Amino acid sequence: MKISKIFLNDFRNFPELDLNLSETINIFLGRNAQGKTNILESINFASLGTARISKDTELVRWNQPAALIRLNFSKADVSHDLAIEIPTDRRRRRILLDGNAVKLRDFIGKLNAVMFSPEDLFMFRNSPITRRKFLNIILAQASPIYFSELTTYNRLIEQRNNLLKKIREKLASPNNLELWNEQLADAAAKITARRVKAVENLNVLANEMQQEISAQSENLSLVYEIHNLNEVDAPQNFGVEYLQNWYHEIFKSRNFTDIKRGSTSFGPHLDDLQFFINGKELRLYGSQGQLRTTALALKLSEIKMLKNSAGEYPILLLDDVMSELDAERRKKLLDFLLNQKIQTLITATEKAYFPEKISGKIFNIEKGALKFEE
Ligand code: ATP
Ligand code: MG
């Protein structure tokens, strides 16, 4: 997957921007608040169809009626022309692919991009929700079935929780729980089996990346942590059938506890993911550079997985990744991207983060415009 051209009109702080990208590395240089991240965001938006943190309308340049993102990209060597118009009034956003109007859900998955941003670092120290979300996204990208399995599981949890509250208020009989326990155990088993497999994969891929960037000095391992496991016997294996029975027994045994608390106290909706560098927990002992390296190693594993399922690498968007990495790690990262021929857009405030001679292009961005190109 490669993007050859970006054209922006009234997107964020860009009245107009017209760029021809390199197929390898594209560096966006500039002082703070000039628009570097905004350029990456335009591609991320085109890939996801939603803004990462903000509302669609915030993407439109202030006091303008609409923003336009236009990209020329190739997928499996076929060229496409994509145009997305984002209006601020009540008109709906329009997506044109090769001149034809398409619905968002038909467009998702056509343009694949993966973005690394500084917020990704919070994942390690935030609540388990962010880490579950990370796993869920990786799994959903690799297999759409996972997404529907997860939706089913979440719906069952909600229904079981409603029932638990009713039982607590004596509005329903505890006998009704059995049906939910059984269905929930089926759904939970599928989710856990897939997650454990994904973590096994990540243990290989992400560790390879961590070792590569850290010049073999760091080993990364990930552990899928079953919440409240200390209260039950650990599963003997992670096959779906075995897990179904295992979950079923546990749900049954926790009926009383769950009725008292009015919610389900066990299951993949509470599980977590732990990270260890050379055997030490990253959350507690990791340095800034190690956190960044691991976040990066995870992103690079994600794009490797996407390559395995889609046949080619997605576009890689690296926002502000160079600061806090030492010179050797920066070099290892760039070498990897060049060797693998991954088209990358990378922002930085200093040219000094990059080697004198680098294959690709450097765009200097100032006040919402391209100042000059090197
Ligand atoms: P840093 O190095 O600090 O990360 P950056 O070059 O990545 O800076 P961006 O986040 O791309 O900066 O651009 C930020 C600027 O874009 C903001 O300071 C804001 O003034 C401007 N901006 C954001 N949204 C809009 C909008 N809808 N219309 C006009 N300008 C906007
Ligand atoms: Mg930025």
Side-chain angles (χ1 to χ4, degrees):
M1 168 114 0
K2 303 274 161 101
I3 296 179
S4 55
K5 245 175 170 322
I6 306 180
F7 178 82
L8 300 179
N9 195 210
D10 289 335
F11 181 88
R12 291 281 191 194
N13 66 335
F14 290 95
E16 194 172 297
L17 180 76
D18 198 348
L19 298 179
N20 290 314
L21 293 186
S22 153
E23 287 212 342
T24 58
I25 293 189
N26 297 273
I27 299 168
F28 294 87
L29 277 186
R31 291 179 296 116
N32 292 138
Q34 303 303 306
K36 304 181 300 293
T37 300
N38 294 344
I39 296 175
L40 268 49
E41 190 184 22
S42 70
I43 295 179
N44 198 49
F45 177 81
S47 151
L48 297 176
T50 55
R52 249 168 0 111
I53 31 180
S54 41
K55 288 200 240 71
D56 281 14
T57 49
E58 290 167 21
L59 303 175
V60 180
R61 192 159 72 94
W62 298 323
N63 306 319
Q64 299 303 312
L68 177 71
I69 305 172
R70 211 178 165 134
L71 302 172
N72 290 339
F73 69 97
S74 65
K75 189 187 171 93
D77 290 327
V78 180
S79 303
H80 297 284
D81 173 67
L82 167 71
I84 304 180
E85 190 196 20
I86 312 157
T88 45
D89 60 20
R90 289 194 193 143
R91 278 177 307 137
R92 285 163 56 104
R93 163 192 343 141
R94 277 205 321 155
I95 306 177
L96 292 178
L97 185 62
D98 301 323
N100 304 312
V102 287
K103 292 210 173 71
L104 177 64
R105 75 179 126 84
D106 297 326
F107 176 70
I108 293 290
K110 291 275 190 303
L111 174 71
N112 306 113
V114 166
M115 180 148 172
F116 169 95
S117 57
E119 293 104 71
D120 290 329
L121 297 171
F122 300 143
M123 173 171 96
F124 303 115
R125 291 188 171 138
N126 276 1
S127 73
I129 299 172
T130 24
R131 291 180 290 276
R132 284 196 296 271
K133 204 167 154 196
F134 162 76
L135 266 184
N136 289 341
I137 289 173
I138 284 209
L139 277 157
Q141 274 171 343
S143 71
I145 307 167
Y146 179 79
F147 184 72
S148 72
E149 287 172 350
L150 190 64
T151 313
T152 304
Y153 177 78
N154 289 335
R155 198 190 61 230
L156 288 168
I157 284 283
E158 207 179 302
Q159 291 170 340
R160 185 175 188 269
N161 289 350
N162 286 338
L163 179 60
L164 289 166
K165 288 188 195 87
K166 276 195 186 152
I167 299 172
R168 189 174 59 188
E169 289 153 26
K170 311 254 182 301
L171 297 170
S173 153
N175 296 338
N176 294 339
L177 263 179
E178 182 47 23
L179 186 66
W180 297 114
N181 287 352
E182 206 174 307
Q183 289 190 53
L184 194 64
D186 282 4
K190 287 181 191 155
I191 304 286
T192 302
R194 284 191 199 273
R195 285 190 183 166
V196 168
K197 252 217 154 69
V199 171
E200 263 171 34
N201 265 337
L202 279 173
N203 257 314
V204 178
L205 287 177
N207 183 35
E208 266 171 28
M209 292 316 312
Q210 183 94 23
Q211 291 193 347
E212 177 142 357
I213 301 173
S214 70
Q216 317 304 322
S217 69
E218 287 168 9
N219 237 308
L220 169 66
S221 57
L222 288 78
V223 175
Y224 187 72
E225 189 188 53
I226 295 176
H227 183 72
N228 277 340
L229 188 61
N230 52 344
E231 295 174 23
V232 299
D233 288 331
Q236 281 157 22
N237 67 68
F238 289 96
V240 175
E241 270 169 38
Y242 174 86
L243 284 174
Q244 279 170 348
N245 287 324
W246 185 76
Y247 273 117
H248 194 184
E249 290 306 315
I250 296 170
F251 290 145
K252 270 197 289 193
S253 73
R254 296 177 80 92
N255 277 352
F256 182 67
T257 322
D258 287 359
I259 292 169
K260 225 165 65 185
R261 54 178 259 167
S263 65
T264 305
S265 61
F266 197 89
H269 62 297
L270 298 170
D271 292 350
D272 200 355
L273 187 60
Q274 288 183 328
F275 299 86
F276 297 86
I277 297 282
N278 295 339
K280 294 275 180 272
E281 206 177 333
L282 181 69
R283 183 172 60 94
L284 303 176
Y285 303 108
S287 74
Q288 294 298 334
Q290 284 178 318
L291 288 169
R292 206 162 274 243
T293 305
T294 304
L296 202 52
L298 294 172
K299 278 289 148 177
L300 298 177
S301 312
E302 197 178 330
I303 67 171
K304 277 188 168 175
M305 286 184 180
L306 280 171
K307 189 191 177 206
N308 288 342
S309 58
E312 59 184 334
Y313 277 116
I315 313 288
L316 183 60
L317 308 169
L318 297 180
D319 193 20
D320 207 5
V321 71
M322 291 312 210
S323 55
E324 286 168 11
L325 288 185
D326 61 38
E328 184 169 28
R329 288 183 194 225
R330 292 198 296 262
K331 182 172 181 317
K332 295 279 183 197
L333 170 64
L334 291 172
D335 286 348
F336 172 78
L337 300 173
L338 285 168
N339 284 338
Q340 295 289 314
K341 300 192 169 49
I342 300 168
Q343 188 183 32
T344 308
L345 281 73
I346 180 164
T347 68
T349 49
E350 308 294 331
K351 202 176 170 181
Y353 288 144
F354 301 92
E356 272 295 308
K357 265 208 154 83
I358 181 158
S359 147
K361 282 188 168 185
I362 302 179
F363 301 96
N364 286 272
I365 304 296
E366 203 178 300
K367 292 192 189 142
L370 172 67
K371 201 75 186 155
F372 60 94
E373 205 180 304
E374 294 173 51

